[in-house]
Amino acid sequence: MALTRRGFSSSALGLIGLASLGGVTGARAAEPITIGLSNGYFGTEWRDQMIDASKKQFAMYEANGLAGKLIVQQAGPDTAAQIQDVRNMIRSRVKVIMIDANSATALTGVIHEAKRAKIPVIAFDQAVSDPYAINVGIDEYDWGKHYAEWIVQQLNGKGRVAVMDGVPGHPAAVARRTAFMDVFAKNKGIDIVWSGYGMWDQAKAQAVMATVLAATPHIDAVCTEDGMGLGIMRAFQAAGRPVPIMTGEAQKSFLLAWKKERDAGHDVHLFARSNPPEIGRTAVGVATRIAQGKQLKPLPDNTYHYPIKIEVTNDNLDELLEGVKDKPDGYFLGEWLDEKQLDALFA
């Protein structure tokens, strides 16, 4: 089953992972498994979908007697609060701790506490530097590299580019920004006319870009991360300027705005890659197997990079939107490992 024009059907959107439970059905848990999930930033549509997807995956295991309880704590951007949440999970003797971390390094101390307590730690979505933790997420640098390379290709290696990043210092934003700048530095015809932050927020991104547009009369392309594309597009529209070559998010609202522009006869060149909130589903699948005592196969740098499948272009925009016609506008295109694929990660 699949999702893009590279052999994936749109009817499968949101359904990857609903295959049989595979290896986890081999035996019921000897005792109820409790998993702790510590989420950093929250209140965004992406994070809400991630938490909901994680709960759905866990509920599937719970219904089959394979797990008992999922404890979810949401600390917000307060790293100290997240450390305390993890510490409380250690004291509660959960079987596995999952962390969507605010910082790649700041949680090292509490991860060491989990290690002393012999509680496995899975850092998902955002990688951490501590080698005890198993990282489960996308390759953020590679993700950003695809975006920047697409921009360069569309510009034939020459043009004025604005770069809008997410949250300063956040591991994903840092990795993506580094990839953007590495790619652009290799292409001497690319002129970075502005670089700044939109905080992964559509309204903030729109306000920031409106200010940039007032001061910058000529922008050929905008390279941005997920969560801000729609705000940037609206800023150009409000300024009466054509939507430039730009990257965006694989979110229904952005795709609908893209389609509206294209169907109005505008020559739009947009691109988006999935950054699936369902990475939480994949991480729960890994965590549940570890809690059952299964042995994960060796991973390079103790890190599993989920292979992104969904890429949105003008060619498959309609197909992908058809696949999510019953989803709310805030929905991000989802994909995750099914049970057989999860089983294949274990010895």
Side-chain angles (χ1 to χ4, degrees), residues 75-240:
D78 187 342
T79 300
Q82 185 168 40
I83 290 170
Q84 188 58 51
D85 285 345
V86 175
R87 188 167 286 138
N88 290 339
M89 292 174 184
I90 295 170
R91 291 169 179 165
S92 298
R93 302 298 304 175
V94 299
K95 285 285 188 179
V96 179
I97 295 172
M98 297 171 53
I99 305 174
D100 196 339
N102 283 335
S103 168
T105 58
L107 277 73
T108 296
V110 77
I111 290 173
H112 285 179
E113 292 177 31
K115 181 179 181 180
R116 288 193 292 270
K118 298 182 180 180
I119 299 174
V121 174
I122 296 173
F124 73 107
D125 179 35
Q126 307 302 331
V128 297
S129 59
D130 192 280
Y132 178 69
I134 299 164
N135 292 310
V136 176
I138 68 170
D139 185 333
E140 301 288 359
Y141 183 92
D142 182 71
W143 192 91
K145 183 170 175 280
H146 274 70
Y147 268 37
E149 288 178 340
W150 181 85
I151 291 282
V152 171
Q153 181 183 47
Q154 294 297 307
L155 292 173
N156 293 316
K158 185 176 181 179
R160 292 165 57 86
V161 179
V163 177
M164 185 176 290
D165 296 308
V167 176
H170 193 280
V174 170
R176 295 172 186 179
R177 177 183 175 81
T178 301
F180 293 166
M181 297 309 183
D182 285 352
V183 170
F184 294 144
K186 293 176 182 177
N187 292 271
K188 302 306 180 183
I190 299 298
D191 180 17
I192 305 299
V193 296
W194 177 85
S195 177
Y197 296 91
M199 307 305 289
W200 285 326
D201 181 275
Q202 288 180 7
K204 291 178 182 176
Q206 182 173 350
V208 170
M209 186 52 63
T211 301
V212 173
L213 290 175
T216 314
H218 179 195
I219 296 175
D220 295 308
V222 179
C223 189
T224 188
E225 304 178 41
D226 56 353
M228 299 174 289
L230 184 57
I232 292 169
M233 182 187 293
R234 286 173 173 165
F236 274 87
Q237 292 168 333

Side-chain angles (χ1 to χ4, degrees), residues 264-286:
H266 299 144
D267 185 22
V268 291
H269 298 272
L270 308 179
F271 176 77
R273 295 191 88 207
S274 170
N275 175 21
E278 281 76 13
I279 195 65
R281 292 196 77 142
T282 294
V284 167
V286 171

